[in-house]
Amino acid sequence: GDSVTQMEGPVTLSEEAFLTINCTYTATGYPSLFWYVQYPGEGLQLLLKATKADDKGSNKGFEATYRKETTSFHLEKGSVQVSDSAVYFCACPNAGGTSYGKLTFGQGTILTVHP
Amino acid sequence: KAGVTQTPRYLIKTRGQQVTLSCSPISGHRSVSWYQQTPGQGLQFLFEYFSETQRNKGNFPGRFSGRQFSNSRSEMNVSTLELGDSALYLCASRAFRGSYGGTAYEQYFGPGTRLTVT
């Protein structure tokens, strides 16, 4: 079945460091891919998305490119801030039942950024 | 546009009781999905509703059920609560069809209901 694998966490960085969080997927067909972020005590926020192969999603300085050949969607940011400390989830919609309303998530990566 | 709202935000119940959680989707969104989030199992899909019909279901026991109303609002119910049902329950809505007419895959989440079973 469809699955999403994220790099083992947690990740601890100093402010202004470069961030990469790896994500690979297996999916039936090539649907959209997403990164979500969860701040403490909150629900998930859609951070960015890519709707087809070779698309690059970007938002708030974060970027991820949908690589069909390596089935990857790695999240990157050139210079992290303390406010980026959160849990990051890679996600893929699944074909199942009669719709694509099921998101399969990676296990989540805890990011802590120190001043 | 207002986001997804969930009520209540926090709930404490005793084993054996039942609980009902409520979710109001973003205006115009017709699909609602529910997820359970726990430290051990991560985010797991419960079910999705569209047009008052369950369209997709995860691997949860029959104690977990849901429904959707004509205004797209949704409720989920858990009967005969167990300690292991303690979790953050998240509701998400999507448009079902995008502005271009194709499938809209992205889901928007509410803040969740924190359920504690004692």
Side-chain angles (χ1 to χ4, degrees), chain A:
Chain A
D2 296 354
S3 65
V4 176
T5 302
Q6 282 181 238
M7 65 185 292
E8 298 292 328
V11 175
T12 302
L13 296 172
S14 298
E15 207 164 25
E16 300 184 4
F18 182 84
L19 168 71
T20 299
I21 301 177
N22 291 338
C23 170
T24 57
Y25 67 90
T26 59
T28 305
Y30 297 97
S32 301
L33 294 171
F34 307 105
W35 277 99
Y36 283 87
V37 59
Q38 186 175 34
Y39 298 99
E42 299 184 10
L44 275 68
Q45 295 179 23
L46 179 61
L47 178 61
L48 56 82
K49 66 179 182 181
T51 57
K52 60 184 185 296
D54 299 324
D55 256 7
K56 176 185 281 189
S58 61
N59 185 29
K60 299 181 181 180
F62 291 90
E63 293 183 338
T65 301
Y66 188 155
R67 303 276 187 206
K68 178 177 169 181
E69 63 278 10
T70 56
T71 63
S72 65
F73 192 53
H74 305 325
L75 181 69
E76 296 182 336
K77 187 175 185 182
S79 176
V80 294
Q81 305 301 311
V82 172
S83 58
D84 293 327
S85 299
V87 184
Y88 293 81
F89 294 93
C90 184
C92 172
N94 293 143
T98 58
S99 78
Y100 274 87
K102 171 186 176 181
L103 285 175
T104 294
F105 289 89
Q107 57 268 50
T109 299
I110 301 172
L111 171 66
T112 303
V113 181
H114 292 299

Side-chain angles (χ1 to χ4, degrees), chain A residues 31-32 34 36 38 41-46 49 89 93-107, chain B residues 9-10 31 33 35 37 42-43 45 47-48 54-56 88 90 94 96 103 105-112:
Chain A
S32 301
F34 307 105
Y36 283 87
Q38 186 175 34
E42 299 184 10
L44 275 68
Q45 295 179 23
L46 179 61
K49 66 179 182 181
F89 294 93
N94 293 143
T98 58
S99 78
Y100 274 87
K102 171 186 176 181
L103 285 175
T104 294
F105 289 89
Q107 57 268 50
Chain B
R9 291 293 310 277
Y10 301 92
S31 164
S33 296
Y35 296 84
Q37 185 178 24
L43 283 153
F45 172 78
F47 28 63
E48 181 202 15
Q54 189 179 87
R55 299 297 178 127
N56 208 341
L88 180 66
L90 293 162
R94 69 183 176 111
F96 200 82
T103 302
Y105 297 104
E106 61 266 29
Q107 297 183 22
Y108 297 88
F109 285 78

Side-chain angles (χ1 to χ4, degrees), chain B residues 43-70:
Chain B
L43 283 153
Q44 294 186 287
F45 172 78
L46 282 155
F47 28 63
E48 181 202 15
Y49 285 87
F50 172 74
S51 289
E52 302 176 63
T53 302
Q54 189 179 87
R55 299 297 178 127
N56 208 341
K57 187 178 189 305
N59 295 323
F60 278 82
R63 300 185 297 108
F64 292 81
S65 62
R67 59 176 175 168
Q68 187 181 35
F69 303 94
S70 58

